[in-house]
């Protein structure tokens, strides 16, 4: 066999129309083009996306599973909102999941001190967050913030943990966007994550767990208080 003709090329991803429609709607919600709390109808979105009502209905059900849409009986479909209680649930759940991920990743760093080990991926993800903060684009900052946290979870190599995190991933993205929007100086966001990254890169399990939990609890409490004030107003 002539191996000179074999190249590394990604295979074509076959995706159903329903999956593509869900992608379009998800991207619009996460980017803010469809605002939180917006009411959606099958007819309206089928026309805008250019698919059938049945396709949109399937896409809507997918987004309900992801927590981005809420189906209201006899009323229709509404984009999720972020209440103070929602934020509390998300940050307390994240604190548990990400603390476990941090412990496992710190163990891997200590046991796999190689160029292709987890340290490289963590360093790269943190560098992208710092670059985004230096440019000041809030949407990109929130995206890279989420990407860093997701990278840590993924690097845990804990399949069930990764699956559980994926169930709330898109809700967490909206949570992070809302939380980061309250930070006036983007350098503060770098400072929030620096202790976590340092502990991970040094393979210090207890410190990584403590810093990950502390980050979620401190920033989560700030967002909850902000949302409570909005509710009262």
């Amino acid at each position: 066999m002539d191996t000179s003709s074999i190249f590394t090329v990604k295979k074509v991803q076959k995706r159903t129309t329903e999956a593509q429609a869900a992608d379009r709607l998800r991207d619009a919600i996460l980017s803010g083009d469809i605002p939180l709390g917006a009411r959606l109808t099958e007819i309206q979105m089928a026309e805008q996306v250019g698919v059938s009502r049945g396709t949109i209905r399937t896409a809507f059900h997918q987004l309900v599973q992801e927590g981005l849409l809420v189906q209201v009986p006899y009323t229709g479909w509404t984009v999720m909102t972020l209440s103070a209680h929602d934020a509390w649930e998300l940050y307390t759940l994240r604190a548990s999941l990400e603390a476990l991920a941090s412990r496992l990743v710190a163990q891997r760093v200590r046991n796999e001190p190689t160029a292709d080990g987890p340290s490289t991926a963590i360093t790269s993800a943190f560098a992208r967050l710092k670059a985004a903060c230096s440019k000041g684009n809030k949407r990109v900052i929130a995206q890279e913030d989420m990407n860093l946290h997701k990278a840590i979870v993924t690097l845990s190599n804990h399949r069930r943990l990764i699956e559980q995190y994926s169930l709330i991933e898109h809700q967490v993205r909206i949570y992070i966007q809302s939380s980061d929007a309250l930070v006036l100086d983007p350098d503060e966001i770098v400072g929030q994550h620096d202790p976590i990254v340092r502990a991970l890169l040094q393979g210090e399990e207890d410190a990584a767990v403590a810093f990950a939990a502390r980050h979620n609890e401190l920033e989560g409490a700030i967002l909850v208080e902000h949302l409570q004030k909005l509710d009262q107003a």
Side-chain angles (χ1 to χ4, degrees), residues 62-220:
Q62 174 60 38
L63 297 185
V64 167
Q65 293 298 313
E66 297 174 10
L68 291 179
L69 283 187
V70 177
Q71 186 175 13
V72 183
Y74 311 109
T75 300
W77 313 80
T78 303
V79 180
M80 67 165 284
T81 56
L82 191 64
S83 68
H85 187 75
D86 293 328
W88 172 78
E89 287 191 349
L90 286 170
Y91 92 70
T92 51
L93 182 55
R94 282 184 66 199
S96 298
L97 296 177
E98 294 182 12
L100 173 57
S102 296
R103 180 177 297 282
L104 297 174
V105 173
Q107 291 175 358
R108 282 195 63 197
V109 168
R110 194 173 63 254
N111 296 328
E112 302 174 34
T114 58
D116 59 348
S119 295
T120 301
I122 294 169
T123 301
S124 297
F126 191 39
R128 289 192 294 272
L129 175 59
K130 289 192 286 188
C133 289
S134 69
K135 295 178 181 177
N137 185 311
K138 288 186 176 294
R139 181 176 295 184
V140 178
I141 291 172
Q143 178 179 325
E144 295 301 341
D145 188 340
M146 178 65 199
N147 289 344
L148 173 59
H149 287 280
K150 185 177 178 181
I152 295 170
V153 172
T154 302
L155 289 167
S156 71
N157 279 356
H158 190 305
R159 179 175 60 84
R160 288 178 173 81
L161 169 60
I162 295 169
E163 289 175 352
Q164 291 303 310
Y165 198 82
S166 70
L167 295 176
I168 61 168
E169 175 184 342
H170 301 301
Q171 297 174 64
V172 170
R173 286 185 180 274
I174 290 175
Y175 168 99
I176 286 178
Q177 290 171 2
S178 301
S179 178
D180 285 356
L182 302 178
V183 180
L184 299 179
D185 184 358
D187 286 340
E188 289 184 24
I189 296 175
V190 175
Q192 293 169 6
H193 295 84
D194 185 69
I196 304 172
V197 172
R198 285 179 180 272
L200 290 173
L201 295 179
Q202 292 169 4
E204 298 177 352
E205 296 174 36
D206 292 341
V209 170
F211 284 130
R214 180 176 174 79
H215 168 61
N216 274 301
E217 290 166 2
L218 286 179
E219 303 311 314

